[in-house]
Amino acid sequence: MLLAAAVPDGFEGRVADLGAGAGAAGFAVLSRCRKAVALLVEREADMASFARATLALPENIAMGNRASVIETDVTLRGKARMAAGLGDNCCDFAIMNPPYNDAVDRSSPDALRRAAHVMTDGLFEDWVRTATAIVRPRGGLAIIARPGSIGDMLAAIEGRFGSAELMPIHPRPGKAAIRIVLRAWRGQRGALSIGPPLTLHGETGNAFTPEADAAVNGERALYPQ
Amino acid sequence: MLLAAAVPDGFEGRVADLGAGAGAAGFAVLSRCRKAVALLVEREADMASFARATLALPENIAMGNRASVIETDVTLRGKARMAAGLGDNCCDFAIMNPPYNDAVDRSSPDALRRAAHVMTDGLFEDWVRTATAIVRPRGGLAIIARPGSIGDMLAAIEGRFGSAELMPIHPRPGKAAIRIVLRAWRGQRGALSIGPPLTLHGETGNAFTPEADAAVNGERALYPQ
């Protein structure tokens, strides 16, 4: 839900949730931004079905009218992408949580790790290429990923999205970041900045810090503006 | 002095201070690490003279015996670099504070900014190439720079230095980082991590925080290990 919180408060346009899974991040944007609409883009049929089922629930009728599911591969290009419903400049914001490093998680022999690294490079490039095509000029992009992906993320947005803001997400004070959220703007050229980090928990215990709780629960946007 | 603090406590080898200026960072390493020796590499004759004058002071005899000044361009390659005294694998650690973005500071029309950006790309690449040549396998590299240079820095170390640790340096709580310190290890392949940030001052006032004071004044290394 930190990814959803990267969309500014008061956002009124169309957000694409790329690799939406069952749609949680997109739904979180719709919940906080009452005038927003969402495209939930998901390749896996099971996940797309869950998203559609959620939208069809009677209690979600209002939200359902503001969301649609596109069951397709985020990495489609050109005419195939447009035919799937992802037209050029069709969105004001894209959010993504690429599933890039599962292979590394499952197994870590060097050969597999290298293979996964190659996959990672291509995956960020492919996903950000689609975001570049579908987000209008000056529209936004937010990515949540692991810190080790910074290089690949920055290479992928180079010349496409700029004025990037990087937010490290730390589990506890004094501990290394477990995630980063990168937000950037289509066609902007400003230098990358690193804002204050978000720390999820205190020194001990499972309770969220007040800042993390507000962002995770949709009470506020992750960035001040 | 934050750059010097990136060298681990107890470091005993040879550190190259690339673009040493008058040598302050290299001297700071020698002061904290009593068995270290330093190569101060500086292109500008005036600055190199200041460094030599400091080493020649009677009160600095002990330190002077552990440091030498090499007046040459960090970006020399191959035989020219070796002839200047920067041999392959001659060092255990390199530290650098490249003067890459002065042009942007002085003037910001778009054309100049673009030119400066091109210079930036080349500068990190050139400086890290030399560090790659002179630092032995498993030796260290530390760079201090502005947050906007992360992409260039990571591109420059790719395939050369790994297991990088990125530390954002914030002026005050809640404010964007003004510098980053990146430390990485020659030939290592681990993913980049983002440690806890260092905050220089409190909400108000000019006093350093205890953590910043200890690092700036050479009482402790910047990273826990």
Side-chain angles (χ1 to χ4, degrees), chain A:
Chain A
M1 296 307 95
L2 292 173
L3 177 61
V7 176
D9 280 333
F11 172 79
E12 297 189 354
R14 174 178 287 145
V15 60
D17 183 356
L18 301 181
F27 295 151
V29 175
L30 296 182
S31 174
R32 180 168 50 86
C33 304
R34 299 291 174 159
K35 294 182 177 176
V37 298
L39 289 182
L40 309 176
V41 183
E42 174 55 42
R43 182 183 64 180
E44 302 297 332
D46 285 357
M47 287 295 174
S49 294
F50 289 138
R52 280 188 287 259
T54 302
L55 291 172
L57 291 173
E59 58 266 43
N60 288 340
I61 282 180
M63 192 170 73
N65 291 336
R66 294 192 285 136
S68 53
V69 176
I70 298 184
E71 189 176 321
T72 192
D73 187 331
V74 169
T75 67
L76 288 181
R77 300 189 188 201
K79 287 180 181 173
R81 167 179 52 75
M82 287 188 268
L86 294 170
D88 290 346
N89 301 317
C90 69
C91 291
D92 304 283
F93 211 104
I95 60 178
M96 61 173 73
N97 177 10
Y100 52 94
N101 49 14
D102 288 0
V104 173
D105 291 343
R106 285 195 292 265
S107 173
S108 63
D110 276 349
L112 261 184
R113 189 179 290 273
R114 279 193 295 273
H117 186 66
V118 171
M119 286 169 53
T120 301
D121 289 351
L123 199 136
F124 274 100
E125 169 61 23
D126 289 347
W127 283 47
V128 172
R129 184 198 312 115
T130 290
T132 306
I134 69 174
V135 173
R136 64 162 172 82
R138 295 182 171 266
L141 168 68
I143 310 175
I144 190 166
R146 302 199 177 182
S149 297
I150 290 183
D152 292 338
M153 292 164 69
L154 294 180
I157 70 170
E158 173 78 23
R160 295 165 164 172
F161 292 84
S163 303
E165 305 150 281
L166 182 68
M167 181 176 291
I169 311 293
H170 296 269
R172 298 184 187 279
K175 300 295 183 189
I178 51 171
R179 291 288 186 281
I180 51 176
V181 178
L182 183 80
R183 189 171 73 169
W185 303 96
R186 179 87 178 92
Q188 303 279 76
R189 303 181 63 88
L192 178 144
S193 64
I194 303 179
L198 180 69
T199 305
L200 297 179
H201 307 287
E203 301 279 358
T204 59
N206 293 322
F208 281 120
T209 59
E211 312 84 72
D213 189 70
V216 167
N217 287 313
E219 291 160 22
R220 70 168 184 90
L222 198 56
Y223 297 86
Q225 284 144 5

Side-chain angles (χ1 to χ4, degrees), chain B residues 170-187:
Chain B
H170 296 268
R172 298 184 186 280
K175 299 296 182 187
I178 51 172
R179 291 290 185 281
I180 50 175
V181 178
L182 183 79
R183 188 171 73 169
W185 304 96
R186 179 86 177 93

Side-chain angles (χ1 to χ4, degrees), chain B residues 200 208-219:
Chain B
L200 297 179
F208 281 120
T209 60
E211 313 83 72
D213 189 70
V216 167
N217 289 312
E219 292 161 21

